[in-house]
């Protein structure tokens, strides 16, 4: 952690200016991008404000009228070229993720493959935007239902998947015929700007894909333009529930279409009939990927009394054997830093709260240098503790003991959010019953890693609105127009 690590990326992919209307643009000031593992500055990026955001919206609006005239096949081929370029440059793109967001290189490479897969998927879905010809109740009429792009879409993305959260939205938007303005997270703008460079290389026309990076200080003014400008028809946001509510309020005045992928608080239920080794493997992947900083990370581990001790013992051994802290560019690292010191402080606070109420620390529990946090295993956890009430976003694994299926479901569903949920069982009736009863948008049954472009992603309750991915993801960027042709001679 104390070695010198330097970001070595091919020149055209390390972009530090905004990208508006096919041009690289500067603003009056810049802001630093920091490697969360070392605290060292790795780049200074153009700090766009309301004026640049407005220019980007205007450019996207102008480009929309030509982009929507492209045939589905033409848009499909351009998205496919963009996908091919991402795969070609996967190593450099992964380095950017590791240095600006901290995740281990193996995970960063996994993210680039995942991110690119959305461009591939939606390049194929672009040609499957089907309308309907509906049988008319009148003989002299024909009823047609036509799908058309909604228009300019504001895309506001988080730092934890700085590449995939953009392509999952933008792939669908561009496939549908929409144009976009992307505001990446202030911690991780380099991945978004590298995607802009590759979009340009792929031949995506000027104004179709715009990126306005900004600092935390400018975030509110830029967000306001993107959510209130009347030329914007749609907003798509991934981030916290609290921020999502603010953006929805801003978008309400102009009645914009909105997709929201917000916070989660995933339960991970292990029943007595479960294969304990598989459950432990699922728990390791679901909890410790990206050091616990994903919105579908398991947050509350509910383990039935009959296998509780065995599960906890095997899980502790797996943590000892598999988890290695360090800089993400070190090939041995499995756990990078948290994104910043505030994130580490939140985990420490949850641990001390749990311990003060009787929880036992079986592994870890300590904060290390900077924003590094020891992977932590807690037992004797109760539902009164903070870690079972709010999303952690860190490597903390609290285990709650339960006796009956009804009790587990009651605890699992006692949350105002519902993004992902997991269950391990070998009883087919129980698998089906519990999967249906969990109040979440994604369920993993004997599986800890779920995300794929072929399936939907999105939550219920206060975890958001709409779905991304699958054949449904493109519908978020389409309107249905009814056309009635009358006066036809029967």
């Amino acid at each position: 952690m104390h070695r010198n690590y330097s970001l070595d990326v091919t020149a055209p992919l390390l972009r530090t200016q905004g990208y508006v209307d096919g041009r690289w643009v500067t603003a009056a000031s810049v802001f630093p991008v920091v490697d969360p593992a070392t605290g060292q500055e790795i780049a200074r990026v153009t700090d766009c404000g309301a004026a640049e955001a407005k220019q980007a919206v205007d450019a996207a609006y102008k480009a929309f009228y030509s982009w929507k005239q492209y045939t589905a096949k033409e848009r499909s081929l351009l998205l496919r070229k963009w996908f091919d370029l991402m795969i070609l440059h996967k190593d450099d793109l992964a380095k950017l993720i590791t240095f600006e967001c901290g995740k281990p290189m193996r995970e960063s490479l996994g993210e680039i493959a995942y991110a690119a897969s959305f461009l591939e998927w939606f390049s194929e879905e672009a040609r499957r935007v089907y309308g309907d010809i509906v049988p008319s109740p009148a003989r002299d009429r024909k009823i047609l239902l036509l799908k058309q792009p909604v228009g300019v879409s504001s895309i506001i993305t988080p730092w934890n998947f700085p590449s995939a959260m953009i392509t999952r939205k933008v792939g669908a938007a561009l496939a549908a015929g929409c144009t976009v303005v992307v505001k990446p997270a202030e911690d991780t703008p380099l991945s978004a700007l590298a995607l802009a460079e590759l979009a340009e290389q792929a031949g995506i026309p000027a104004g179709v894909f715009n990126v306005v990076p900004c600092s935390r200080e400018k975030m509110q003014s830029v967000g306001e333009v993107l959510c209130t400008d009347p030329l914007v028809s749609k907003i798509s946001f991934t981030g916290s529930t609290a921020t999502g509510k603010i953006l929805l309020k801003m978008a309400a005045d102009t009645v914009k279409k909105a997709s929201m992928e917000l916070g989660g608080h995933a339960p991970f239920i292990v029943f007595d009939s479960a294969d304990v080794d598989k459950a432990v493997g699922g728990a390791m992947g679901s909890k410790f990927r990206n050091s616990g900083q994903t919105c579908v990370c398991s947050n509350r581990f509910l383990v039935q009394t009959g296998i509780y001790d065995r599960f906890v013992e095997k899980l502790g051994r797996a943590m000892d054997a598999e988890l290695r802290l360090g800089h993400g560019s070190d090939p041995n690292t499995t756990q990078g830093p948290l994104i910043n010191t505030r994130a580490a402080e939140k985990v420490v606070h949850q641990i001390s709260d749990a311990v003060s109420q009787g929880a036992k620390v079986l592994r870890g529990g300590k904060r290390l240098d900077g924003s590094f946090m020891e992977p932590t295993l807690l037992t004797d956890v109760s539902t009164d503790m903070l870690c079972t009430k709010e999303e952690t976003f860190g490597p903390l694994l609290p285990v709650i003991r339960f006796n009956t299926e009804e009790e587990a479901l009651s605890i699992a569903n006692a949350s105002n959010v519902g993004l992902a949920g997991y269950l391990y069982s070998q009883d087919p009736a129980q698998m089906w019953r519990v999967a249906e009863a969990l109040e979440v948008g994604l369920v993993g049954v004997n599986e800890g890693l779920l995300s794929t472009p072929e399936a939907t992603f999105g939550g219920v309750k206060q975890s958001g609105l709409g779905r991304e991915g699958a054949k449904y993801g493109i519908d978020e960027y389409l309107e249905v127009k009814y056309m009635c042709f009358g006066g036809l001679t029967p």
Side-chain angles (χ1 to χ4, degrees):
M1 276 182 255
H2 296 289
R3 270 174 46 201
N4 276 329
Y5 295 93
S6 61
L7 176 57
D8 173 27
V9 167
T10 317
L13 285 182
L14 184 54
R15 288 286 187 177
T16 57
Q17 295 171 302
Y19 185 70
V20 176
D21 203 13
R23 296 190 309 274
W24 296 98
V25 301
T26 56
S29 56
V30 293
F31 67 98
V33 179
V34 171
D35 177 351
T38 62
Q40 291 172 345
E41 188 178 296
I42 52 174
R44 291 193 170 191
V45 172
T46 292
D47 194 2
C48 293
E52 290 78 20
K54 176 59 178 160
Q55 286 164 16
V57 168
D58 290 347
Y61 187 73
K62 188 177 86 196
F64 172 60
Y65 286 92
S66 53
W67 180 244
K68 71 175 182 176
Q69 300 300 335
Y70 278 52
T71 67
K73 184 174 182 180
E74 287 168 336
R75 292 197 298 266
S76 170
L77 290 172
L78 287 169
L79 284 168
R80 178 70 203 199
K81 279 186 192 166
W82 199 5
F83 160 78
D84 289 337
L85 286 165
M86 282 194 76
I87 297 302
L88 182 66
H89 294 286
K90 65 181 189 294
D91 291 332
D92 278 347
L93 294 172
K95 283 179 198 167
L96 289 173
I97 292 175
T98 289
F99 274 83
E100 65 180 348
C101 140
K103 69 175 66 169
M105 262 305 275
R106 190 171 55 192
E107 285 190 28
S108 295
L109 283 163
E111 179 180 341
I112 293 303
Y114 178 55
S117 73
F118 284 104
L119 298 182
E120 178 185 41
W121 172 259
F122 285 114
S123 77
E124 295 161 352
E125 287 300 292
R127 302 180 68 185
R128 293 170 181 70
V129 177
Y130 302 133
D132 299 289
I133 296 176
V134 181
S136 170
R139 291 184 179 183
D140 64 343
R141 294 181 187 177
K142 294 292 180 192
I143 295 174
L144 276 71
L145 304 179
L146 178 70
K147 290 184 180 176
Q148 294 184 304
V150 297
V152 177
S153 301
S154 294
I155 308 292
I156 303 172
T157 55
W159 51 263
N160 60 336
F161 286 89
S163 192
M165 294 304 93
I166 293 173
T167 58
R168 192 161 73 187
K169 299 172 189 298
V170 170
L174 267 56
C178 296
T179 55
V180 300
V181 179
V182 177
K183 191 210 84 65
E186 68 276 9
D187 296 299
T188 57
L190 302 177
S191 292
L193 296 169
L195 286 176
E197 168 64 29
L198 294 182
E200 188 171 89
Q201 289 182 26
I204 305 281
V208 172
F209 180 77
N210 305 276
V211 182
V212 284
C214 70
S215 63
R216 190 176 291 273
E217 290 70 36
K218 298 267 180 74
M219 189 167 58
Q220 191 171 346
S221 60
V222 169
E224 200 164 311
V225 171
L226 298 186
C227 293
T228 64
D229 192 296
L231 300 184
V232 173
S233 299
K234 152 101 191 171
I235 59 169
S236 180
F237 170 71
T238 296
S240 73
T241 299
T243 303
K245 289 175 181 178
I246 293 167
L247 301 184
L248 276 172
K249 283 176 184 166
M250 285 202 277
D253 277 348
T254 43
V255 195
K256 299 192 193 309
K257 199 174 168 89
S259 301
M260 296 273 147
E261 196 265 280
L262 308 176
H265 191 36
F268 187 104
I269 309 172
V270 187
F271 290 101
D272 282 344
S273 71
D275 178 321
V276 175
D277 291 328
K278 282 187 179 162
V280 166
M284 291 290 289
S286 174
K287 178 73 257 186
F288 295 114
R289 185 170 62 121
N290 198 15
S291 298
Q293 301 173 110
T294 85
C295 45
V296 291
C297 266
S298 296
N299 220 56
R300 299 166 292 156
F301 289 77
L302 314 176
V303 182
Q304 202 159 10
T305 306
I307 55 161
Y308 183 93
D309 292 338
R310 197 151 47 102
F311 176 83
V312 167
E313 185 209 343
K314 288 192 169 193
L315 183 59
R317 288 213 301 265
M319 288 172 67
D320 293 340
E322 295 172 30
L323 302 182
R324 295 285 175 272
L325 281 157
H327 193 284
S329 61
D330 185 328
N332 295 320
T333 296
T334 68
Q335 301 289 285
L338 300 192
I339 191 65
N340 52 39
T341 53
R342 286 192 313 280
E345 284 158 10
K346 181 179 181 182
V347 180
V348 169
H349 180 57
Q350 287 194 357
I351 293 169
S352 58
D353 168 79
V355 169
S356 74
Q357 296 188 60
K360 292 190 178 67
V361 178
L362 256 62
R363 295 291 189 286
K366 290 197 270 309
R367 181 173 164 193
L368 307 170
D369 290 349
S371 59
F372 279 90
M373 189 74 216
E374 280 185 337
T376 300
L377 175 59
L378 293 180
T379 58
D380 295 344
V381 172
S382 75
T383 55
D384 295 325
M385 296 170 187
L386 207 51
C387 59
T388 68
K389 293 178 179 178
E390 62 177 32
E391 192 174 22
T392 302
F393 242 62
L396 170 59
L397 198 159
V399 190
I400 303 166
R401 189 189 299 264
F402 74 89
N403 293 306
T404 66
E405 182 182 307
E406 293 71 26
E407 182 191 354
L409 279 169
S410 173
I411 295 169
N413 290 336
S415 172
N416 63 2
V417 292
L419 186 54
Y422 306 87
L423 70 110
Y424 277 75
S425 168
Q426 292 186 93
D427 174 345
Q430 183 177 59
M431 290 179 209
W432 189 258
R433 205 166 51 236
V434 174
E436 280 203 319
L438 281 171
E439 294 169 1
V440 295
L442 300 80
V443 181
V445 182
N446 297 322
E447 183 56 63
L449 298 173
L450 308 179
S451 301
T452 178
E454 292 82 0
T456 52
F457 193 101
V460 300
K461 299 181 180 176
Q462 292 184 36
S463 279
L465 304 167
R467 292 293 179 268
E468 295 182 336
K471 65 177 183 179
Y472 303 101
I474 201 166
D475 288 338
E476 301 286 331
Y477 297 90
L478 295 165
E479 302 279 20
V480 179
K481 178 182 280 182
Y482 162 37
M483 298 193 297
C484 177
F485 289 76
L488 304 176
T489 309

